């Protein structure tokens, strides 16, 4: 078992400890494994949020303490973390990042009376299971998928569309949402296929897409497989336009996709927030920046809900999270009855060549 890293960070006690209430917030993040770069970003952002909030509180009132655990981006390890947090009396948790991990741990946290705010788990069905303790500060896959589907209906009218996913909970959820939107718009996809995560060859898939005469492709998945698909499409002479989600919001997409990536459109949360760099810390990576804002916001909403509830009772905190908006680094955040963002704002960006020859999406907004 990967050890629980019981690190209490940024506990800035300016007065006597006995005069203050310490509230522990757990962080379940993939600090090891394939998503470790994202997990480290979550950790840095949560530590920064705790430190900033504690400074704002001053010498009176409650103080926040962060307890960090490595879930490795795996459902089994996430369950170990969930049980440890519950046994240790931690009732407020930020995480998990991956939809598959969040889906596995949500019922455990529900049974233990733990409030869970995820900065990344976007699987549409996650918040449709009736949990009273689960919230997310990012648009769900249904919101991103619907936005991508509407974009295809408007910008690729009457064209033959193929939908591809990477067989993960994340990718399939996006693909299903796009498919529903296309069907509702009267232009269903002509192919619904998969390219498993980790695939390095998409030749067979592209042969299938060519046989279906696709003219546009939606891909639900991450940057490496999106790049693999794009290169195989271009090598086979298939010039279909590619649309994806913020799963390809990765510094490696430009280098992996190379010239094939130009023109790719992706859905992203509106204006991803870049946190100020913390003094004495190395600059954050692109992956860390992608999750830093939502993680910081997740800590903020928990802290504000504590104040509104005037209690550490998790049921009261969960009740306080619903309804009234919260002010966060990402702007105003409000949750609906299911724990989804009331306004799941999604924008679109295109990867284009810059004057110096790089492939970038910055500033390349696309009309919905």
């Amino acid at each position: 078992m990967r050890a629980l890293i019981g690190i209490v960070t940024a506990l800035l006690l300016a007065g006597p400890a006995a005069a203050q209430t310490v509230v522990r917030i757990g962080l379940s993040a993939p600090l090891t494994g394939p998503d470790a770069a994202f997990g480290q970003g979550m950790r840095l952002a949560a530590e920064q949020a705790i430190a900033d909030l504690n400074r704002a509180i001053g010498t009176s009132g409650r103080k926040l303490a962060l307890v960090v655990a490595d879930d490795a981006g795996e459902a089994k390890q996430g369950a170990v973390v969930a049980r440890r947090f519950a046994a240790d009396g931690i009732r407020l948790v930020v995480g998990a990042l991956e939809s598959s991990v969040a889906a596995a741990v949500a019922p455990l946290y529900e049974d233990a009376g733990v409030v869970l705010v995820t900065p990344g788990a976007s699987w549409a069905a996650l918040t449709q299971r009736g949990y009273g303790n689960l919230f997310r500060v990012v648009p769900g896959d249904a919101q991103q998928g619907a936005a991508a589907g509407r974009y295809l209906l408007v910008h690729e009218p009457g064209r033959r569309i193929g939908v591809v996913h990477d067989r993960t909970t994340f990718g399939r959820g996006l693909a299903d949402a796009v498919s529903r939107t296309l069907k509702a718009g009267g232009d269903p996809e002509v192919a619904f296929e998969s390219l498993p995560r980790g695939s390095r060859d998409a030749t067979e898939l592209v042969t299938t897409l060519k046989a279906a005469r696709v003219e546009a492709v939606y891909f639900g998945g991450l940057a490496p497989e999106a790049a693999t698909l794009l290169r195989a499409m271009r090598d086979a002479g298939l010039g279909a336009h590619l649309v994806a989600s913020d799963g390809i919001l990765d510094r490696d997409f430009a280098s992996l996709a190379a010239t094939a990536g130009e023109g790719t459109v992706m859905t992203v949360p509106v204006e991803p927030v870049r946190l100020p760099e913390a003094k004495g810390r190395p600059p954050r990576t692109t992956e860390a920046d992608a999750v830093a804002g939502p993680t910081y916001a997740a800590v903020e909403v928990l802290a504000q809900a504590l104040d509104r509830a005037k209690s550490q009772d998790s049921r009261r905190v969960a009740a306080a999270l619903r309804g009234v908006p919260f002010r966060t680094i990402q702007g105003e955040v409000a949750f609906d009855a299911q724990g989804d963002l009331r306004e799941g704002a999604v924008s679109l960006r295109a990867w284009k060549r810059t004057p110096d020859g790089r492939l970038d999406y910055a500033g390349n907004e696309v009309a919905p």
Side-chain angles (χ1 to χ4, degrees):
M1 181 184 77
R2 294 178 177 85
L4 183 72
I5 309 172
I7 301 176
V8 179
T9 62
L11 189 53
L12 307 177
L13 299 179
Q20 295 177 318
T21 299
V22 177
V23 180
R24 293 178 298 163
I25 294 179
L27 177 71
S28 178
L31 302 177
T32 57
D35 293 332
F38 295 97
Q40 294 297 340
M42 291 174 65
R43 179 175 182 169
L44 290 171
E47 289 174 346
Q48 190 172 343
I50 294 287
D52 291 346
L53 289 166
N54 281 341
R55 274 194 293 270
I57 292 168
T59 60
S60 62
R62 57 110 178 98
K63 287 291 182 178
L64 304 174
L66 187 68
V67 182
V68 182
D70 178 19
D71 60 33
E74 299 175 353
K76 184 177 180 180
Q77 182 61 19
V80 171
V81 170
R83 293 188 180 99
R84 179 66 62 85
F85 278 162
D88 288 347
I90 294 172
R91 294 294 178 261
L92 307 174
V93 173
V94 173
L97 177 67
E98 298 87 349
S99 293
S100 57
V101 181
V105 302
L108 300 178
Y109 284 123
E110 176 89 352
D111 291 344
V114 176
V115 175
L116 186 66
V117 181
T118 172
S122 55
W123 182 40
L126 187 62
T127 52
Q128 298 169 9
R129 296 182 168 187
Y131 300 123
N133 66 323
L134 177 64
F135 303 83
R136 54 180 162 208
V137 293
V138 292
D141 293 341
Q143 293 163 318
Q144 283 211 48
R150 289 192 298 269
Y151 170 83
L152 287 165
L153 289 169
V154 171
H155 294 268
E156 305 284 349
R159 292 182 178 272
R160 299 175 66 82
I161 298 170
V163 176
V164 179
H165 62 88
D166 66 357
R167 297 187 188 176
T168 65
T169 302
F170 168 69
R172 180 61 188 260
L174 285 163
D176 286 343
V178 170
S179 178
R180 285 194 300 271
T181 304
L182 293 176
K183 288 181 174 66
D187 190 12
E189 74 274 3
V190 296
F192 192 94
E193 304 292 336
S194 65
L195 181 67
R197 188 173 181 183
S199 296
R200 296 184 178 181
D201 184 0
T203 304
E204 185 175 345
L205 169 61
V206 170
T207 298
T208 300
L209 295 176
K210 285 192 72 174
R213 297 182 288 114
V214 300
E215 300 168 283
V217 175
Y218 179 83
F219 178 70
L222 303 181
E225 291 74 35
T228 296
L229 174 58
L230 271 169
R231 292 197 308 270
M233 286 167 54
R234 301 302 179 253
D235 288 346
L238 182 59
H241 182 200
L242 187 76
V243 179
S245 77
D246 59 351
I248 68 168
L249 189 64
D250 188 306
R251 62 179 176 175
D252 292 331
F253 178 74
S255 58
L256 292 171
T259 57
E262 187 166 11
T264 298
V265 171
M266 62 181 178
T267 55
V268 295
V270 171
E271 290 299 324
V273 174
R274 180 179 173 85
L275 297 183
E277 295 290 353
K279 292 182 179 180
R281 296 291 186 98
R284 285 185 299 271
T285 64
T286 302
E287 294 90 342
D289 265 336
V291 296
T295 302
Y296 193 105
V299 176
E300 287 184 301
V301 298
L302 282 174
Q304 291 175 49
L306 276 168
D307 292 339
R308 291 180 185 177
K310 294 181 170 52
S311 170
Q312 294 184 50
D313 183 275
S314 58
R315 290 170 298 180
R316 293 186 180 181
V317 173
L321 281 166
R322 289 187 167 83
V324 182
F326 298 88
R327 290 184 177 180
T328 77
I329 194 169
Q330 294 194 136
E332 191 173 89
V333 168
F335 302 103
D336 64 17
Q338 292 182 319
D340 279 316
L341 287 179
R342 211 184 278 167
E343 295 294 333
V346 176
S347 63
L348 295 108
R349 300 282 190 278
W351 290 79
K352 296 181 180 180
R353 284 285 163 194
T354 61
D356 61 1
R358 295 180 299 108
L359 192 65
D360 199 357
Y361 63 88
N364 299 329
E365 292 191 23
V366 177

